[in-house]
Every structure is written in structure tokens, then in C-alpha cells.
Amino acid sequence: MIYGIGTDICDVRRIRASIEKHGDRFANKVLAEGEIKVWKFRTARWPERGVRYLATRFSAKEAFSKAVGMGMRMPMTWRLCEIANERSGKPYVVLHGGLKEWFEAQGLVAHVTVTDESDYAASFVVVEKKDP
């Protein structure tokens, strides 16, 4: 059964401006530890790829917060929600701490997709309630 659906679109130019203004502080606020490693690697190889990576993660976390119906309030925080990728590239949600505990207690599972094109990054999340 569907518990919630969330979508978000993010202006990549806004993310780029935040990085230019705040440097790593913005990324460190939004990204989980595993994501920070990927962001630094991508940024070092090609800075624009790093910007797009950060934009897709920002968008996906916004979409996830909408799908679970919390917005950005406890236990939902930027760093407790991580968007990782399988070897195939397929994104998936990894939760940490109190957010993970809450999510599992509700018997939920999340599905996420992300995309970016020129000036925009977009995400879509479906959260399902597992069958008892």
C-alpha cells in the first residue's frame, strides 16, 4: 500500500551559488558521510559533476521528506537521509539514526529516482507500507 509520494525540482544554479558562497559548509550540511566522499571525488574530477550530484541529493531528500509527510523536522534531517547508488547506478535510500528507527517501526520501504538536465535536478519518491 502506498504510504506517501514526494517530488521535488531543484535549480542547479541555486546549488552552485550556495557552493560558491559557502564552500564545503553547504555540502556538509546536506550530505551524509558516504555522500560527502562521492561529492568530493566527483568535484575533484569535474566540478560541474559535483554540483549536479549535490543538487540531485538535495532534491531527493526534499522529495523523501514530502513522501513520509514530515518535511524537514525530526527525526527527518539532511544527514540522516542518504541517497546511494547500486553498481548499476540505480539510486536507493539509506537511513541512519532516529530516522531509520522511526521508518522501520512504521514498516515502510522507499523507492527513489533522480535526474538532472542542464539547470534542473528532479526527484521522485514513493514510500510503501510493507504488508504485515
Side-chain angles (χ1 to χ4, degrees), residues 3-132:
Y3 179 88
I5 298 171
T7 188
D8 188 74
I9 187 166
C10 174
D11 191 329
V12 174
R13 296 166 294 191
R14 185 173 144 228
I15 299 300
R16 188 179 301 107
S18 292
I19 293 170
E20 289 169 359
K21 183 175 182 179
H22 303 290
D24 288 0
R25 286 185 319 182
F26 180 72
N28 288 329
K29 177 183 175 183
V30 172
L31 301 176
E33 277 187 46
E35 293 168 319
I36 289 172
K37 291 176 187 173
V38 174
W39 175 72
K40 286 182 178 182
F41 177 77
R42 289 185 179 191
T43 300
R45 290 189 67 198
W46 184 22
E48 186 59 22
R49 254 185 107 198
V51 172
R52 291 179 185 285
Y53 177 83
L54 181 51
T56 58
R57 273 41 196 179
F58 183 92
S59 174
K61 293 174 186 202
E62 284 281 338
F64 178 83
S65 73
K66 293 170 186 176
V68 295
M70 292 186 177
M72 284 297 173
R73 61 183 170 81
M74 294 302 282
M76 177 66 202
T77 69
W78 294 108
R79 293 182 50 86
L80 293 181
C81 180
E82 180 176 355
I83 310 301
N85 291 90
E86 293 179 359
R87 290 184 65 120
S88 66
K90 177 184 175 186
Y92 64 97
V93 178
V94 178
L95 302 175
H96 304 282
L99 181 58
K100 178 180 181 178
E101 292 168 11
W102 174 84
F103 195 77
E104 289 175 352
Q106 303 304 310
L108 302 176
V109 62
H111 308 280
V112 61
T113 187
V114 300
T115 189
D116 63 272
E117 181 63 39
S118 124
D119 293 330
Y120 298 97
S123 301
F124 190 77
V125 174
V126 174
V127 173
E128 294 179 294
K129 184 123 176 129
K130 296 178 196 172
D131 291 329

